[in-house]
Amino acid sequence: MLAIVVENCMKELAIKEKLFAVTGDNAGNNGTLCEALYKSLKRTYDDKASIVRPRMRFHGRSSWVRCLAHINGLIVSDVMKDLKTGTAAEAKRLLDALD
């Protein structure tokens, strides 16, 4: 499970309690990763102020940030398909011809 690998890396780097967000593309497995990490970290940390356990600021799926660069790439790919172009240069020539 990916969450175990990520958690082990965070443990090795001593940053488990510092996790604030996970940035990734829109793939569903990233949501699953966030849920699994949250459940695992909840055993050690509290997501609210507590005097019993250290506080964490990670809140599972709601702490999953979609990568804007990836989303922009998907949009550009769709536009280029609609324009029936394969490269940015072809798209520019096509758009310049519209003027």
Side-chain angles (χ1 to χ4, degrees):
M1 181 186 259
L2 184 57
I4 294 169
V5 173
V6 171
E7 189 173 0
N8 286 339
C9 287
M10 290 189 313
K11 181 179 180 181
E12 185 176 320
L13 297 169
I15 60 172
K16 283 173 67 171
E17 70 282 356
K18 296 177 183 179
L19 180 64
F20 181 73
V22 170
T23 302
D25 60 17
N26 292 334
N29 62 336
N30 287 323
T32 305
L33 166 67
C34 289
E35 288 174 1
L37 274 174
Y38 180 71
K39 286 179 187 175
S40 179
L41 292 171
K42 274 287 279 182
R43 287 182 249 157
T44 307
Y45 303 98
D46 200 342
D47 60 351
K48 297 179 180 76
S50 170
I51 56 173
V52 179
R53 295 186 297 173
R55 183 174 186 190
M56 68 173 177
R57 288 171 171 73
F58 183 71
H59 301 286
R61 269 190 192 265
S62 62
S63 294
W64 173 23
V65 178
R66 275 69 169 186
C67 178
L68 184 60
H70 177 75
I71 293 169
N72 284 341
L74 293 173
I75 293 168
V76 169
S77 292
D78 283 350
V79 169
M80 290 180 74
K81 282 180 196 170
D82 288 345
L83 294 174
K84 296 180 176 44
T85 62
T87 67
E90 290 173 2
K92 183 178 181 332
R93 279 193 297 273
L94 182 64
L95 291 172
D96 287 344
L98 293 176
D99 288 338

